[in-house]
């Protein structure tokens, strides 16, 4: 049932604020910036599947691009389900080599 699906895509203009009960999240496994530009985003739109991105930029500033591995996204989602706090989930999961820093509230 497509109404329950949410495609998690870095390039989506939509940002999730929470993980919804009964929703099935599809983690975009393609980096859509290079060879297959917007592949996952276009597929989600063509198939009528909702899409969104994690609120990473709202809570964390990173020294490198905001690209996470599939397993990091799963771990972040699991942490959020336990803590209900995106910032804690991001800091706990994102590797220190990416130098994640908390964003200050403006």
């Amino acid at each position: 049932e497509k109404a329950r699906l949410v495609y998690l895509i870095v390039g989506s203009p939509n940002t999730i604020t929470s993980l919804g009960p009964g929703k099935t999240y599809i983690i975009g496994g393609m980096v859509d910036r290079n060879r297959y530009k917007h592949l996952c985003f276009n597929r989600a739109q063509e198939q009528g599947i909702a899409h969104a991105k994690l609120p990473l930029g709202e809570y964390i500033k990173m020294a490198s691009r905001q690209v996470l591995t599939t397993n990091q996204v799963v771990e972040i989602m699991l942490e959020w389900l336990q803590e209900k706090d995106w910032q804690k989930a991001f800091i706990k999961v994102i590797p220190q080599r990416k130098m994640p820093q908390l964003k200050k509230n403006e």
Side-chain angles (χ1 to χ4, degrees):
E1 189 177 309
K2 288 185 183 180
R4 292 182 21 197
L5 300 176
V6 179
Y7 212 136
L8 292 178
I9 306 167
V10 171
S12 176
N14 307 320
T15 304
I16 61 172
T17 56
S18 64
L19 300 176
K23 294 284 186 185
T24 300
Y25 294 92
I26 304 165
I27 299 171
M30 295 290 298
V31 177
D32 294 347
R33 294 180 55 153
N34 300 320
R35 186 172 180 191
Y36 301 108
K37 201 166 194 83
H38 307 295
L39 177 70
C40 295
F41 179 76
N42 291 338
R43 284 216 177 127
Q45 286 197 306
E46 289 166 7
Q47 296 176 14
I49 298 172
H51 51 81
K53 61 185 172 188
L54 295 178
L56 185 62
E58 295 176 22
Y59 296 96
I60 300 293
K61 191 168 48 173
M62 295 192 331
S64 61
R65 292 187 304 146
Q66 294 185 355
V67 176
L68 302 173
T69 63
T70 302
N71 61 313
Q72 289 168 343
V73 174
V74 170
E75 288 180 44
I76 288 167
M77 293 169 73
L78 291 172
E79 284 297 324
W80 185 87
L81 287 170
Q82 287 184 334
E83 298 286 335
K84 301 289 192 264
D85 185 318
W86 287 114
Q87 197 170 61
K88 285 181 184 177
F90 293 139
I91 288 296
K92 185 169 184 179
V93 174
I94 295 172
Q96 287 302 306
R97 72 177 181 278
K98 291 191 171 227
M99 300 186 328
Q101 296 176 0
L102 299 177
K103 274 194 163 181
K104 296 186 183 349
N105 291 336
E106 300 177 285

